[in-house]
Amino acid sequence: MATYNKRGFKSPKPKEVEDIEDNIDVDAKDSTTAEVFNTLDEGASRAEEWVVKNQKYIFGIVGAIAFVTVGYLLYQKFVADPKELEAADEMFMAQQNFQSALDSTTSKDSLFTLALNGADGKFGFLKIAEHYSGTDAGNLANYYAGMAYLNLGKNTEAISHLDKFKSDDLIISALAKGAIGDAFAQKNQLKEALDYYKKAAEMNENDLTTPRFLLKAGQTAFTLGNKTEALNYFTQIKEKYESAPEARNIDGLIGMAQ
């Protein structure tokens, strides 16, 4: 009877040959793994050597960070916070004099001057702004000082203090920018006044400050002969802030600017 081989049929390998090949594969894998671990060990050793060699610098950096952190916390607790309280206490009398000046009909100038310079052993806004610089109260004192100077007609001083004032409160920051515009307007520097009125109007759209400074921007632009620009500001008031006090005579202003 004839015999034949099926296509693709391979005779099985003797068991001894398979064992030898398996051993070769295992040895090769073990060798590669060993090389990887050796490389990792060498890298770890070099890292350890670097740490040992530079540990003084490392501990120095860590110590410096810790020192700064602890120092900041101590400063806040024993210097900054008490300073804030002290400044706020000084502010009380100055704020009272400032409010009295706003309410007064006969002695505004003298009360604004007391608010600026102090009274009854208490600092005024000028000393508070200088002595407590860097505190919230010191910053706010610049705003009050600027507004007091503006009411006294001392516009250069008003601009100086209002420009130093910084606030995250969008309403009061807009009022400060607009007050700088008022000071420039009183100095008859209308271009500068217009720039600050525009900044004040654009800082934060709201029903209180935005129409107020849009109106001032429009009136100032009209005075400068920029009727197109003035018409733009007046139209914004009519379209967006129709219920605001600034909109009462807005149709007449629009007619003048057209």
Side-chain angles (χ1 to χ4, degrees), residues 211-229:
R212 175 179 180 178
F213 294 118
L214 281 174
L215 180 62
K216 290 191 176 189
Q219 291 170 329
T220 306
F222 186 84
T223 303
L224 289 169
N226 302 330
K227 289 188 176 182
T228 301
E229 187 175 359

Side-chain angles (χ1 to χ4, degrees), residues 10-248:
K10 293 182 181 179
S11 58
K13 295 180 181 180
K15 188 176 185 306
E16 293 81 358
V17 175
E18 290 181 356
D19 291 343
I20 292 171
E21 289 182 353
D22 289 343
N23 288 335
I24 291 172
D25 291 341
V26 171
D27 291 342
K29 292 176 183 175
D30 290 344
S31 177
T32 302
T33 303
E35 290 178 4
V36 171
F37 279 113
N38 286 336
T39 302
L40 292 174
D41 288 341
E42 291 174 2
S45 297
R46 285 195 295 270
E48 289 173 2
E49 290 175 3
W50 186 89
V51 170
V52 171
K53 184 178 179 180
N54 297 279
Q55 60 182 332
K56 290 183 179 180
Y57 301 105
I58 295 170
F59 290 142
I61 293 171
V62 173
I65 294 172
F67 178 79
V68 170
T69 302
V70 173
Y72 173 78
L73 294 174
L74 291 174
Y75 175 82
Q76 285 295 119
K77 182 175 181 179
F78 295 106
V79 179
D81 291 346
K83 196 172 183 181
E84 284 284 2
L85 293 173
E86 186 180 326
D89 179 62
E90 291 286 348
M91 281 276 285
F92 180 74
M93 180 63 73
Q95 286 174 316
Q96 279 195 324
N97 286 324
F98 184 88
Q99 188 60 48
S100 296
L102 293 178
D103 298 336
S104 176
T105 57
T106 57
S107 54
K108 285 183 178 292
D109 287 1
S110 60
L111 288 168
F112 278 126
T113 300
L114 283 177
L116 284 167
N117 297 325
D120 299 328
K122 292 292 185 181
F123 285 167
F125 294 129
L126 297 180
K127 281 288 187 181
I128 294 169
E130 178 186 354
H131 191 73
Y132 298 102
S133 175
T135 67
D136 291 339
N139 179 49
L140 189 59
N142 276 310
Y143 175 78
Y144 277 113
M147 298 302 291
Y149 274 130
L150 184 65
N151 280 277
L152 289 169
K154 297 183 177 181
N155 300 302
T156 300
E157 293 87 344
I159 292 169
S160 175
H161 282 279
L162 289 168
D163 196 48
K164 293 175 184 177
F165 173 71
K166 301 292 183 292
S167 175
D168 293 330
D169 186 292
L170 297 178
I171 298 293
I172 196 170
S173 58
L175 289 173
K177 281 286 185 291
I180 294 176
D182 290 341
F184 275 118
Q186 290 184 28
K187 288 165 66 73
N188 203 32
Q189 295 178 230
L190 297 185
K191 289 183 178 179
E192 290 82 355
L194 179 57
D195 286 340
Y196 276 95
Y197 288 146
K198 289 192 290 186
K199 289 177 182 177
E202 294 169 357
M203 284 186 75
N204 171 41
E205 291 191 10
N206 63 82
D207 294 337
L208 175 64
T209 63
T210 304
R212 175 179 180 178
F213 294 118
L214 281 174
L215 180 62
K216 290 191 176 189
Q219 291 170 329
T220 306
F222 186 84
T223 303
L224 289 169
N226 302 330
K227 289 188 176 182
T228 301
E229 187 175 359
L231 179 61
N232 175 46
Y233 299 131
F234 296 148
T235 302
Q236 286 187 57
I237 295 172
K238 181 176 177 61
E239 293 179 349
K240 297 181 180 179
Y241 305 99
E242 191 174 2
S243 60
E246 290 79 8
R248 288 173 187 165

